[in-house]
Amino acid sequence: MLTLGDIGKQGDALATFIWFAALFTMSKQLNELGFMAFIGERLVLRLGGLPVAAVSNCACSSVYVLLHYLFVSQNAHLLALFGVFLGVGIRLGVPASLLAFQLLFATNYFAALTPQASSANLLFAGSGYLTQQELYRWGALHTALCLVIYLVVGTPWLLLVMR
């Protein structure tokens, strides 16, 4: 039988699961309350005047990456925003599979953006090898470099492969 003492001994691990549960619940509630649909509508209005679907692809991918500053968890970010941005891109004329790949790739490479952006970063932050400022600087540089590479090289490559 599991006692409160047993749970207390697992403090940090249990706290992590509780936080993830709260983050997933918040992401789900944002969708159910229509907030994410509202954000999607606003994005379509703002990006609707862009001339080319490729520009919309770049804008959607860039905004998706930048919004990770508001999320601690990659999973919560993906659950809350992936469908919204994919829907926005499709409405703007971006090929669905192209944008889906770009957003999925971004969900991985923006993991370096902040010390809290993914669970793996907690190891770097806790090691003391890099300062908090260095983690933010290198994370932002890495994320920006990956975004540029995926948009400049990845977009034409994906379009070629998907034909």
Side-chain angles (χ1 to χ4, degrees):
M1 176 169 188
L2 190 62
T3 67
L4 285 177
D6 294 332
I7 293 171
K9 291 177 187 174
Q10 305 302 320
D12 291 341
L14 183 62
T16 301
F17 285 120
I18 290 170
W19 276 109
F20 274 126
L23 291 170
F24 288 134
T25 302
M26 286 174 23
S27 294
K28 182 180 176 192
Q29 284 299 315
L30 286 172
N31 283 326
E32 287 179 5
L33 293 173
F35 179 74
M36 300 318 291
F38 173 78
I39 294 296
E41 290 297 322
R42 297 293 152 248
L43 281 170
V44 167
L45 291 174
R46 298 275 185 207
L47 300 176
L50 296 176
V52 182
V55 175
S56 298
N57 175 41
C58 291
C60 283
S61 298
S62 299
V63 172
Y64 181 79
V65 168
L66 289 174
L67 282 174
H68 191 57
Y69 276 115
L70 302 177
F71 290 83
V72 175
S73 163
Q74 287 170 284
N75 294 333
H77 183 256
L78 178 80
L79 288 172
L81 296 179
F82 180 80
V84 172
F85 277 83
L86 187 60
V88 167
I90 291 169
R91 288 179 63 187
L92 294 172
V94 180
S97 53
L98 169 67
L99 186 57
F101 277 117
Q102 291 287 17
L103 295 177
L104 289 171
F105 293 149
T107 302
N108 285 307
Y109 63 71
F110 69 42
L113 193 58
T114 67
Q116 305 83 10
S118 78
S119 56
N121 287 11
L122 296 176
L123 297 173
F124 293 116
S127 72
Y129 181 71
L130 296 172
T131 66
Q132 187 98 353
Q133 183 181 7
E134 290 172 324
L135 283 168
Y136 275 102
R137 185 171 11 124
W138 286 110
L141 180 64
H142 170 267
T143 301
L145 182 63
C146 285
L147 180 63
V148 168
I149 290 170
Y150 275 89
L151 290 175
V152 172
V153 177
T155 299
W157 179 80
L158 283 168
L159 287 171
L160 180 69
V161 170
M162 290 187 293
R163 286 185 185 201

Coordinates of all heavy atoms in Angstrom, one line a residue, residues 42-98:
R42 N -7.0 35.6 -35.1 CA -6.2 36.8 -35.1 C -4.9 36.6 -35.9 O -4.6 37.5 -36.7 CB -5.8 37.2 -33.7 CG -6.9 37.5 -32.7 CD -7.6 38.8 -33.2 NE -9.0 38.7 -32.7 CZ -10.0 38.6 -33.5 NH1 -9.9 38.6 -34.8 NH2 -11.3 38.6 -33.0
L43 N -4.3 35.5 -35.9 CA -3.1 35.2 -36.7 C -3.5 35.2 -38.2 O -2.8 35.8 -39.0 CB -2.5 33.9 -36.4 CG -1.6 33.9 -35.1 CD1 -1.2 32.5 -34.7 CD2 -0.4 34.7 -35.4
V44 N -4.6 34.6 -38.6 CA -5.1 34.6 -40.0 C -5.3 36.0 -40.4 O -4.9 36.4 -41.5 CB -6.3 33.8 -40.2 CG1 -6.9 34.0 -41.5 CG2 -6.0 32.3 -40.0
L45 N -5.9 36.9 -39.6 CA -6.1 38.3 -40.0 C -4.8 39.0 -40.1 O -4.6 39.8 -41.1 CB -7.0 39.0 -38.9 CG -8.4 38.5 -38.9 CD1 -9.1 39.2 -37.7 CD2 -9.2 38.8 -40.2
R46 N -3.8 38.8 -39.3 CA -2.6 39.5 -39.3 C -1.7 39.0 -40.5 O -1.0 39.8 -41.1 CB -1.8 39.3 -38.0 CG -2.5 39.8 -36.8 CD -2.2 41.3 -36.7 NE -2.7 41.8 -35.4 CZ -3.1 43.0 -35.2 NH1 -3.0 43.9 -36.1 NH2 -3.7 43.3 -34.1
L47 N -1.7 37.7 -40.7 CA -0.8 37.2 -41.7 C -1.5 37.0 -43.1 O -0.9 36.7 -44.1 CB -0.3 35.8 -41.3 CG 0.5 35.7 -40.0 CD1 0.8 34.3 -39.7 CD2 1.7 36.6 -40.1
G48 N -2.8 37.3 -43.2 CA -3.5 37.1 -44.4 C -3.1 38.0 -45.6 O -3.3 37.6 -46.7
G49 N -2.5 39.1 -45.3 CA -2.0 39.9 -46.4 C -0.7 39.6 -47.0 O -0.2 40.2 -47.9
L50 N 0.0 38.6 -46.4 CA 1.3 38.2 -47.0 C 1.1 37.6 -48.4 O 0.2 36.8 -48.6 CB 2.0 37.2 -46.0 CG 2.3 37.7 -44.6 CD1 2.9 36.6 -43.8 CD2 3.3 38.9 -44.7
P51 N 2.1 38.0 -49.3 CA 1.9 37.6 -50.7 C 2.0 36.1 -51.0 O 1.4 35.7 -51.9 CB 2.9 38.5 -51.4 CG 4.0 38.7 -50.4 CD 3.2 38.8 -49.0
V52 N 2.9 35.4 -50.4 CA 3.3 34.1 -50.8 C 3.1 33.1 -49.6 O 3.3 33.5 -48.5 CB 4.7 34.1 -51.3 CG1 5.1 32.7 -51.8 CG2 5.0 35.1 -52.3
A53 N 2.6 31.9 -50.0 CA 2.5 30.9 -48.9 C 3.8 30.6 -48.2 O 3.8 30.3 -47.0 CB 1.9 29.6 -49.6
A54 N 4.9 30.7 -48.9 CA 6.2 30.4 -48.3 C 6.5 31.5 -47.2 O 7.0 31.1 -46.1 CB 7.3 30.4 -49.3
V55 N 6.1 32.7 -47.4 CA 6.2 33.8 -46.4 C 5.4 33.4 -45.2 O 5.8 33.6 -44.1 CB 5.9 35.2 -47.0 CG1 6.0 36.2 -45.9 CG2 6.9 35.5 -48.1
S56 N 4.1 33.0 -45.5 CA 3.3 32.6 -44.4 C 3.9 31.4 -43.6 O 3.8 31.3 -42.4 CB 1.9 32.2 -44.9 OG 1.3 33.3 -45.6
N57 N 4.5 30.5 -44.3 CA 5.2 29.3 -43.7 C 6.3 29.9 -42.7 O 6.4 29.4 -41.6 CB 5.8 28.4 -44.7 CG 6.6 27.3 -44.1 OD1 6.2 26.7 -43.1 ND2 7.7 27.0 -44.7
C58 N 7.1 30.8 -43.2 CA 8.1 31.4 -42.4 C 7.5 32.1 -41.2 O 8.0 32.0 -40.0 CB 9.0 32.3 -43.2 SG 10.0 31.5 -44.4
A59 N 6.5 32.9 -41.4 CA 5.9 33.6 -40.3 C 5.3 32.7 -39.3 O 5.5 32.9 -38.1 CB 4.8 34.6 -40.8
C60 N 4.5 31.7 -39.7 CA 3.9 30.7 -38.8 C 5.0 30.0 -38.0 O 4.9 29.8 -36.8 CB 3.1 29.7 -39.5 SG 1.5 30.3 -40.1
S61 N 6.0 29.5 -38.6 CA 7.1 28.8 -37.9 C 7.8 29.7 -36.9 O 8.1 29.3 -35.8 CB 8.1 28.2 -38.9 OG 7.5 27.3 -39.8
S62 N 8.1 30.9 -37.3 CA 8.8 31.9 -36.5 C 8.0 32.2 -35.2 O 8.5 32.2 -34.1 CB 9.2 33.1 -37.2 OG 10.0 32.8 -38.3
V63 N 6.7 32.5 -35.4 CA 5.9 32.9 -34.3 C 5.7 31.7 -33.4 O 5.7 31.8 -32.1 CB 4.5 33.4 -34.8 CG1 3.5 33.6 -33.6 CG2 4.7 34.7 -35.5
Y64 N 5.5 30.5 -34.0 CA 5.4 29.3 -33.2 C 6.6 29.1 -32.3 O 6.4 28.7 -31.1 CB 5.2 28.1 -34.1 CG 5.0 26.7 -33.5 CD1 3.8 26.3 -33.0 CD2 6.1 25.8 -33.4 CE1 3.6 25.1 -32.4 CE2 5.9 24.6 -32.8 CZ 4.7 24.2 -32.4 OH 4.5 23.0 -31.8
V65 N 7.8 29.3 -32.8 CA 9.0 29.1 -32.0 C 9.1 30.2 -30.9 O 9.4 29.9 -29.8 CB 10.3 29.2 -32.9 CG1 11.5 29.3 -32.1 CG2 10.3 28.0 -33.8
L66 N 8.8 31.5 -31.3 CA 8.9 32.5 -30.3 C 7.9 32.4 -29.1 O 8.2 32.7 -28.0 CB 8.7 33.9 -31.0 CG 9.8 34.4 -31.9 CD1 9.4 35.6 -32.6 CD2 11.1 34.6 -31.1
L67 N 6.7 31.8 -29.4 CA 5.8 31.6 -28.4 C 6.2 30.6 -27.3 O 5.6 30.4 -26.3 CB 4.4 31.2 -29.0 CG 3.6 32.4 -29.5 CD1 2.3 31.9 -30.2 CD2 3.3 33.4 -28.5
H68 N 7.3 29.8 -27.6 CA 7.7 28.9 -26.6 C 8.2 29.6 -25.4 O 8.3 28.9 -24.3 CB 8.8 27.9 -27.2 CG 9.1 26.8 -26.3 ND1 8.1 25.9 -25.9 CD2 10.2 26.3 -25.7 CE1 8.6 25.0 -25.1 NE2 9.9 25.2 -25.0
Y69 N 8.5 30.8 -25.4 CA 8.9 31.6 -24.2 C 7.8 31.6 -23.2 O 8.0 31.8 -22.0 CB 9.3 33.0 -24.6 CG 10.7 33.2 -25.0 CD1 11.0 33.6 -26.3 CD2 11.8 33.0 -24.1 CE1 12.3 33.8 -26.7 CE2 13.1 33.1 -24.5 CZ 13.3 33.5 -25.8 OH 14.7 33.7 -26.2
L70 N 6.5 31.4 -23.7 CA 5.4 31.4 -22.8 C 5.1 30.0 -22.2 O 4.2 29.9 -21.3 CB 4.2 31.9 -23.5 CG 4.3 33.3 -24.1 CD1 3.0 33.6 -24.9 CD2 4.6 34.3 -23.0
F71 N 5.8 29.0 -22.6 CA 5.5 27.6 -22.2 C 6.7 27.0 -21.6 O 7.8 27.2 -22.0 CB 5.1 26.7 -23.4 CG 3.7 27.1 -23.9 CD1 3.6 28.1 -24.8 CD2 2.6 26.3 -23.5 CE1 2.3 28.4 -25.3 CE2 1.4 26.7 -24.0 CZ 1.2 27.7 -24.9
V72 N 6.5 26.3 -20.5 CA 7.7 25.6 -19.9 C 7.9 24.2 -20.5 O 9.0 23.8 -20.7 CB 7.4 25.4 -18.4 CG1 8.5 24.6 -17.7 CG2 7.3 26.7 -17.7
S73 N 6.8 23.6 -21.0 CA 6.9 22.2 -21.5 C 6.7 22.2 -23.0 O 5.8 22.9 -23.6 CB 5.8 21.4 -20.8 OG 5.5 20.2 -21.5
Q74 N 7.6 21.4 -23.7 CA 7.4 21.2 -25.1 C 6.1 20.5 -25.4 O 5.4 20.9 -26.3 CB 8.5 20.3 -25.6 CG 9.9 20.9 -25.7 CD 10.9 19.8 -26.0 OE1 11.2 19.1 -25.1 NE2 11.3 19.7 -27.2
N75 N 5.7 19.6 -24.5 CA 4.4 18.9 -24.7 C 3.2 19.8 -24.6 O 2.3 19.7 -25.4 CB 4.3 17.7 -23.7 CG 5.3 16.7 -24.0 OD1 5.8 16.5 -25.1 ND2 5.7 16.0 -22.9
A76 N 3.2 20.7 -23.6 CA 2.1 21.6 -23.4 C 2.1 22.6 -24.6 O 1.0 22.9 -25.1 CB 2.3 22.4 -22.1
H77 N 3.2 23.0 -25.1 CA 3.3 23.9 -26.2 C 2.7 23.2 -27.4 O 1.9 23.8 -28.2 CB 4.7 24.3 -26.4 CG 4.9 25.3 -27.5 ND1 5.4 24.9 -28.8 CD2 4.7 26.6 -27.6 CE1 5.5 26.0 -29.6 NE2 5.1 27.0 -28.9
L78 N 3.1 22.0 -27.7 CA 2.6 21.3 -28.8 C 1.1 21.0 -28.8 O 0.4 21.3 -29.7 CB 3.4 19.9 -28.9 CG 2.9 19.0 -30.1 CD1 3.6 19.4 -31.3 CD2 3.3 17.6 -29.7
L79 N 0.6 20.6 -27.6 CA -0.8 20.4 -27.4 C -1.6 21.7 -27.6 O -2.7 21.6 -28.2 CB -1.1 19.8 -26.0 CG -0.7 18.4 -25.8 CD1 -0.8 18.0 -24.3 CD2 -1.5 17.4 -26.7
A80 N -1.1 22.8 -27.1 CA -1.9 24.0 -27.2 C -1.8 24.7 -28.6 O -2.8 25.3 -29.0 CB -1.4 25.0 -26.1
L81 N -0.7 24.6 -29.2 CA -0.4 25.5 -30.4 C -0.3 24.8 -31.7 O -0.5 25.4 -32.8 CB 0.8 26.4 -30.2 CG 0.7 27.4 -29.0 CD1 2.0 28.1 -28.9 CD2 -0.5 28.3 -29.2
F82 N 0.1 23.5 -31.8 CA 0.3 22.9 -33.0 C -0.9 22.9 -34.0 O -0.8 23.4 -35.1 CB 0.8 21.4 -32.8 CG 1.1 20.7 -34.1 CD1 2.3 20.9 -34.7 CD2 0.1 19.9 -34.7 CE1 2.5 20.2 -35.9 CE2 0.4 19.2 -35.8 CZ 1.6 19.4 -36.5
G83 N -2.0 22.5 -33.5 CA -3.2 22.5 -34.3 C -3.6 23.9 -34.7 O -4.1 24.1 -35.9
V84 N -3.5 24.9 -33.9 CA -3.8 26.3 -34.2 C -2.9 26.8 -35.4 O -3.4 27.3 -36.3 CB -3.6 27.2 -33.0 CG1 -3.8 28.6 -33.4 CG2 -4.6 26.8 -31.9
F85 N -1.6 26.6 -35.2 CA -0.7 27.1 -36.3 C -0.9 26.3 -37.6 O -0.7 26.9 -38.7 CB 0.7 27.1 -35.8 CG 1.0 28.3 -35.0 CD1 0.7 28.4 -33.6 CD2 1.6 29.4 -35.6 CE1 0.9 29.5 -32.9 CE2 1.9 30.6 -34.8 CZ 1.5 30.6 -33.5
L86 N -1.1 25.0 -37.5 CA -1.3 24.2 -38.7 C -2.6 24.7 -39.4 O -2.6 24.9 -40.6 CB -1.4 22.7 -38.3 CG -1.5 21.8 -39.5 CD1 -0.2 21.9 -40.4 CD2 -1.6 20.4 -39.0
G87 N -3.6 25.0 -38.6 CA -4.9 25.5 -39.2 C -4.7 26.8 -39.9 O -5.2 27.1 -40.9
V88 N -4.0 27.7 -39.2 CA -3.7 29.0 -39.7 C -2.9 28.9 -41.0 O -3.3 29.6 -42.0 CB -2.9 29.9 -38.7 CG1 -2.3 31.2 -39.3 CG2 -3.8 30.3 -37.5
G89 N -1.9 28.1 -41.0 CA -1.1 28.0 -42.3 C -1.9 27.4 -43.4 O -1.8 27.9 -44.6
I90 N -2.7 26.4 -43.2 CA -3.5 25.9 -44.2 C -4.5 26.9 -44.8 O -4.7 27.0 -46.0 CB -4.3 24.6 -43.7 CG1 -3.3 23.5 -43.4 CG2 -5.4 24.2 -44.7 CD1 -3.9 22.3 -42.7
R91 N -5.1 27.7 -43.9 CA -6.0 28.8 -44.4 C -5.3 29.8 -45.2 O -5.9 30.5 -46.0 CB -6.7 29.4 -43.2 CG -7.8 28.5 -42.6 CD -8.5 29.0 -41.4 NE -9.2 30.2 -41.7 CZ -9.8 31.0 -40.8 NH1 -9.7 30.7 -39.5 NH2 -10.5 32.1 -41.2
L92 N -4.0 30.0 -44.9 CA -3.2 31.0 -45.7 C -2.6 30.4 -47.0 O -1.9 31.1 -47.7 CB -2.1 31.5 -44.8 CG -2.6 32.4 -43.6 CD1 -1.4 32.7 -42.7 CD2 -3.3 33.6 -44.1
G93 N -2.8 29.1 -47.2 CA -2.3 28.5 -48.4 C -1.0 27.7 -48.3 O -0.4 27.3 -49.3
V94 N -0.5 27.5 -47.1 CA 0.7 26.7 -46.9 C 0.3 25.3 -47.0 O -0.7 24.8 -46.5 CB 1.3 27.0 -45.6 CG1 2.6 26.2 -45.4 CG2 1.6 28.5 -45.4
P95 N 1.1 24.5 -47.8 CA 0.8 23.0 -47.9 C 0.9 22.4 -46.5 O 1.8 22.7 -45.7 CB 2.0 22.5 -48.7 CG 2.4 23.6 -49.5 CD 2.2 24.8 -48.7
A96 N -0.1 21.7 -46.1 CA -0.3 21.1 -44.8 C 0.9 20.3 -44.3 O 1.4 20.4 -43.2 CB -1.6 20.3 -44.7
S97 N 1.4 19.4 -45.2 CA 2.5 18.5 -44.8 C 3.7 19.3 -44.6 O 4.5 19.0 -43.7 CB 2.7 17.4 -45.8 OG 2.8 17.9 -47.1
L98 N 4.0 20.3 -45.4 CA 5.2 21.2 -45.2 C 5.2 21.9 -43.9 O 6.1 21.8 -43.1 CB 5.3 22.2 -46.3 CG 6.3 23.3 -46.1 CD1 7.7 22.7 -46.2 CD2 6.1 24.4 -47.1

